[in-house]
Amino acid sequence: MISITSTELNYMVFRYLHESGFTHSAFALGYEAGINKSTIDGNLVPPGALVTFVQKGIQYLELEANLSCSDEDMDEDFSFLQPLDLITKDVCELQKIIKEKKENLQKARNAEKEKDSNLTDREHAREKGKEQEREQAREREKEHEREHAREKEKEHEREREREHAREREKEHEREREREREREREHARERERDKQQREKEREREREKIEKEREREREREKERDREKGKDKEKPHEDLTDTRHGGDKVTIRHDENGTGNLQILFNFCKH
């Protein structure tokens, strides 16, 4: 008899959780069961494998419960069971349920035959009410399935919105980083301009300083020229007067600017 291992079962449960959108549960199961270490080729496992496997098991159990009845019931109609009964009850209990259903079915058939001969309005209304109840139960089951599908869709939508919010936050962070980079670039540019202006002012100061130095040199040169003019003696001027008198005129700068005239009288 072929049996399924716990590793294979864990992998089918993992695939079911992942396909149904239960990503966090799938991650937890995969981590604890060591799915990543499994040798099962995921490409060989079809989608919905766990659901198919469970459905076939339920069908087998239902078939077993129907075939385990006595031979006198073999010709009776096949009885279908509720999935919850198949999951929660053993074969003996299922056989009892099938037997009761068949007995009820037989009673219903007998009652149907009786109703065909003598059908009253009250019995007809009661049967109609049961049918309505069964229809309402089916409608409630369908509504429950639709609600479950809507919940799954809402969960997927919330997950997509969270993902979009994370993407927007990352984009805003990148924009802020670009803004900070532009501010740093502007600061570096201002610093370069400031350094350039400082260099310009430094060259201007050096130029002014050199110009002042040259002016001082020229001033010193003029002072030296004036000093040389003061040290140079004035030449004596001599005039010989007629009659043999000799007049000597000397410029003497004694601070008063007066001329001293020396008369030398010479006799021949």
Side-chain angles (χ1 to χ4, degrees):
M1 179 177 174
I2 299 175
S3 62
I4 186 171
T5 63
S6 60
T7 302
E8 294 168 343
L9 182 59
N10 289 337
Y11 186 82
M12 285 195 295
V13 174
F14 171 79
R15 283 286 297 269
Y16 168 76
L17 293 174
H18 186 73
E19 291 169 359
S20 299
F22 303 112
T23 55
H24 297 291
S25 300
F27 174 78
L29 177 63
Y31 178 77
E32 293 180 358
I35 299 299
N36 58 340
K37 299 178 182 178
S38 176
T39 59
I40 299 174
D41 188 0
N43 296 324
L44 300 178
V45 180
L50 179 63
V51 177
T52 303
F53 185 82
V54 173
Q55 287 176 345
K56 288 183 179 297
I58 292 174
Q59 291 172 359
Y60 176 82
L61 185 60
E62 190 175 34
L63 180 63
E64 182 183 9
N66 278 274
L67 293 178
S68 298
C69 296
S70 59
D71 295 335
E72 60 184 16
D73 297 329
M74 291 298 294
D75 295 332
E76 297 292 333
D77 295 335
F78 188 89
S79 296
F80 294 96
L81 299 172
Q82 293 295 327
L84 185 60
D85 293 333
L86 292 169
I87 294 172
T88 58
K89 294 178 175 58
D90 57 13
V91 177
C92 294
E93 292 175 339
L94 294 175
Q95 290 174 357
K96 291 179 181 180
I97 293 173
I98 292 175
K99 186 176 181 180
E100 291 175 357
K101 288 182 67 175
K102 289 185 177 182
E103 290 177 353
N104 294 332
L105 182 61
Q106 186 64 35
K107 291 178 181 180
R109 287 176 179 175
N110 295 332
E112 186 68 25
K113 290 178 181 180
E114 292 177 0
K115 283 188 291 184
D116 290 340
S117 61
N118 188 17
L119 183 62
T120 64
D121 295 338
R122 185 175 180 182
E123 291 174 350
H124 181 71
R126 187 167 54 250
E127 184 64 24
K128 186 176 180 180
K130 290 181 179 179
E131 182 63 28
Q132 289 176 353
E133 289 177 359
R134 288 192 293 271
E135 185 66 26
Q136 291 174 359
R138 287 192 292 270
E139 288 296 329
R140 286 194 297 270
E141 184 66 23
K142 291 180 181 178
E143 182 63 27
H144 180 70
E145 292 178 357
R146 289 193 292 269
E147 184 66 24
H148 183 65
R150 286 194 293 269
E151 287 295 329
K152 288 175 62 176
E153 184 63 27
K154 289 179 181 179
E155 182 63 26
H156 293 164
E157 185 65 26
R158 287 193 292 270
E159 184 64 26
R160 288 192 292 269
E161 290 178 358
R162 287 192 291 269
E163 185 66 25
H164 292 163
R166 288 193 291 270
E167 289 296 330
R168 289 193 296 271
E169 183 63 25
K170 289 180 181 179
E171 183 62 27
H172 293 164
E173 183 62 27
R174 288 193 290 268
E175 185 62 28
R176 288 193 292 269
E177 183 62 27
R178 288 193 291 268
E179 185 64 25
R180 288 192 291 269
E181 183 63 27
R182 287 194 292 270
E183 290 178 358
R184 288 194 291 269
E185 183 63 26
H186 292 165
R188 288 193 292 270
E189 185 67 24
R190 290 193 296 270
E191 184 64 23
R192 287 194 294 268
D193 293 341
K194 182 180 179 181
Q195 293 177 358
Q196 185 66 25
R197 289 193 297 271
E198 288 292 335
K199 289 180 181 179
E200 291 292 335
R201 286 195 290 270
E202 185 65 25
R203 286 196 291 269
E204 187 66 25
R205 285 194 295 270
E206 291 178 357
K207 183 177 180 181
I208 293 172
E209 187 64 28
K210 289 180 181 179
E211 186 65 27
R212 289 177 179 174
E213 185 66 26
R214 287 195 294 269
E215 184 64 27
R216 286 194 292 270
E217 290 294 332
R218 288 194 293 269
E219 186 68 25
K220 290 180 181 179
E221 185 64 27
R222 286 194 295 271
D223 292 341
R224 285 196 294 270
E225 289 295 332
K226 288 180 181 180
K228 289 180 182 180
D229 291 339
K230 289 180 180 180
E231 291 177 359
K232 184 177 180 181
H234 294 282
E235 295 180 356
D236 294 334
L237 300 177
T238 303
D239 186 12
T240 304
R241 302 179 66 179
H242 64 83
D245 294 332
K246 185 177 181 181
V247 180
T248 301
I249 301 172
R250 186 176 66 235
H251 294 275
D252 185 12
E253 295 181 0
N254 54 5
T256 61
N258 297 324
L259 296 177
Q260 293 181 357
I261 301 174
L262 301 177
F263 294 95
N264 295 325
F265 296 96
C266 297
K267 294 182 178 181
H268 296 281

